[in-house]
């Protein structure tokens, strides 16, 4: 049976974050300010953001990373040399890594099979069988960042709009716009689909 709990928990974190973000928001128009989002996240956890001192993004390395420390603070490292839309997305994604970690002190994601959901809906070409926990977390953080920067409801209303226009409007990478308006991504991240799946899993004979 497909487990949707990971996705549900992640979207719930996004929704809660949007409520807090609105208190820090300085501009009401799209795109959402990642700088304002950072201010909100820094009210939740101690977070430092720095450019990587030695490496520049060339396509062969990760674009960014988050580092949790034993004392409870976090460092986010962004590789310089990226276009503005990618830097916005990477910072947002790494901030969601932090928020997921803050919300995961009881290890709510461990031993829940997110792989089957990702395999069926997120990557039909390859699937992600036996995905390591860190890869799952990366996928969840990406989903969270896209849901924050380009919410499902906005995607649904603009499916026929040119991806270049949407990328400019929301200031996110065109490749990610095109990825998240694919039919199987829209189906897989449909809130009604997720809620229905969770209800079915709770039924005794499901």
């Amino acid at each position: 049976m497909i487990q949707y709990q990971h996705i549900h928990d992640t979207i719930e974190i996004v929704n809660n974050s949007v409520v807090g973000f609105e208190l820090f928001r300085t501009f009401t128009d799209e795109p959402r300010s990642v700088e304002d989002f950072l201010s909100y996240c820094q009210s939740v956890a101690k977070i430092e953001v720095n450019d990587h001192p030695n490496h520049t993004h060339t396509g062969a390395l990760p674009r960014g990373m988050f580092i949790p420390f034993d004392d409870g603070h976090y460092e986010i490292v962004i590789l310089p040399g990226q276009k503005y839309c990618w830097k916005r997305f990477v910072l947002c994604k790494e901030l969601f890594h932090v928020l997921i970690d803050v919300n995961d002190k009881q290890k709510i994601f461990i031993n829940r099979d997110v792989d089957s959901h990702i395999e069926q809906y997120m990557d039909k070409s390859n699937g992600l069988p036996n995905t390591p926990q860190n890869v799952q977390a990366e996928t969840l953080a990406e989903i969270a960042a896209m849901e924050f920067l380009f919410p499902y409801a906005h995607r649904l209303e603009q499916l026929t709009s040119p991806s270049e226009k949407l990328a400019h409007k929301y200031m996110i990478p065109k490749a990610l716009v095109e990825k998240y308006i694919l039919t199987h991504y829209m189906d897989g991240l449909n809130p009604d689909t997720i809620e229905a799946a969770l209800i079915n899993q709770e039924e005794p004979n499901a």
Side-chain angles (χ1 to χ4, degrees):
M1 180 189 302
I2 296 173
Q3 296 286 338
Y4 285 78
Q5 193 68 52
H6 275 86
I7 306 296
H8 174 273
D9 291 346
T10 299
I11 299 300
E12 188 174 68
I13 289 171
V14 177
N15 292 338
N16 291 338
S17 299
V18 169
V19 174
F21 160 76
E22 291 295 339
L23 300 175
F24 290 81
R25 193 171 189 176
T26 55
F27 298 100
T28 57
D29 295 335
E30 302 297 344
R32 285 176 169 168
S33 167
V34 176
E35 289 75 16
D36 290 346
F37 184 52
L38 171 60
S39 296
Y40 160 70
C41 292
Q42 287 175 325
S43 75
V44 175
K46 184 176 180 181
I47 305 169
E48 299 175 8
V49 179
N50 299 295
D51 284 340
H52 198 288
N54 301 317
H55 296 292
T56 298
H57 178 72
T58 62
L61 294 169
R63 294 178 179 271
M65 67 194 76
F66 93 111
I67 307 169
F69 290 86
D70 290 340
D71 65 2
H73 88 275
Y74 298 85
E75 182 177 359
I76 290 175
V77 180
I78 307 294
L79 268 66
Q82 304 182 64
K83 292 183 177 180
Y84 178 69
C85 61
W86 270 109
K87 289 192 73 172
R88 269 174 47 84
F89 171 75
V90 171
L91 176 56
C92 189
K93 178 174 68 69
E94 299 308 323
L95 287 170
F96 272 110
H97 269 300
V98 172
L99 293 180
I100 289 171
D101 189 70
V102 168
N103 282 273
D104 196 28
K105 296 307 180 186
Q106 300 301 317
K107 302 303 179 186
I108 58 175
F109 292 141
I110 286 182
N111 297 324
R112 291 183 180 169
D113 183 16
V114 70
D115 292 340
S116 54
H117 179 81
I118 295 173
E119 182 176 355
Q120 179 166 349
Y121 292 108
M122 302 297 110
D123 191 351
K124 285 198 170 185
S125 60
N126 298 316
L128 293 172
N130 301 316
T131 310
Q133 190 74 21
N134 63 330
V135 177
Q136 294 183 27
E138 187 70 12
T139 301
L140 292 170
E142 178 184 295
I143 289 171
M146 286 300 290
E147 185 62 28
F148 179 83
L149 295 171
F150 188 24
Y152 177 87
H154 292 217
R155 302 198 299 273
L156 187 63
E157 292 176 354
Q158 302 174 90
L159 286 173
T160 59
S161 297
S163 57
E164 186 172 351
K165 179 179 177 181
L166 293 174
H168 179 75
K169 177 178 180 180
Y170 292 92
M171 294 302 294
I172 51 179
K174 180 172 175 282
L176 290 173
V177 170
E178 294 173 344
K179 179 179 178 180
Y180 275 78
I181 61 175
L182 289 171
T183 299
H184 56 275
Y185 270 74
M186 292 299 295
D187 290 346
L189 295 174
N190 184 327
D192 293 336
T193 300
I194 295 171
E195 291 298 328
L198 291 177
I199 291 171
N200 289 337
Q201 288 172 8
E202 291 173 359
E203 293 177 356
N205 296 322

